[in-house]
Amino acid sequence: MFKASWQAIRADPVTQAYYRKHQGKNVKSIIIKVARKLLSRTLAVIKTETPYTIGVVE
């Protein structure tokens, strides 16, 4: 998930905005926060059985 976080920051506008909001702080801790967000999104996709859509926050 650590490496996926970097890709999400590049590709997903919502994740990118979250990263920019926390920019200026410790980069490693921000990446871990992004990874946790990705894990929670992944769990939501599995539980609801709906496809993941880039840039949509629910």
Side-chain angles (χ1 to χ4, degrees), residues 41-50:
R41 285 183 180 181
T42 304
L43 184 60
V45 165
I46 291 169
K47 282 185 175 181
T48 61
E49 298 179 1
T50 57

Side-chain angles (χ1 to χ4, degrees), residues 1 20 30 33 42 46 49 51 55:
M1 289 310 273
R20 287 185 179 160
I30 299 170
K33 287 180 181 184
T42 304
I46 291 169
E49 298 179 1

Side-chain angles (χ1 to χ4, degrees), residues 5 8 11 13-18 23 29 35 40 42 47-49 53:
S5 298
V14 174
T15 307
Q16 193 175 64
Y18 181 80
Q23 207 166 12
S29 65
S40 64
T42 304
K47 282 185 175 181
T48 61
E49 298 179 1
T53 306

Side-chain angles (χ1 to χ4, degrees), residues 1-18:
M1 289 310 273
F2 178 79
K3 289 186 178 187
S5 298
W6 286 112
Q7 186 59 34
I9 290 169
R10 288 187 206 105
D12 187 8
V14 174
T15 307
Q16 193 175 64
Y18 181 80

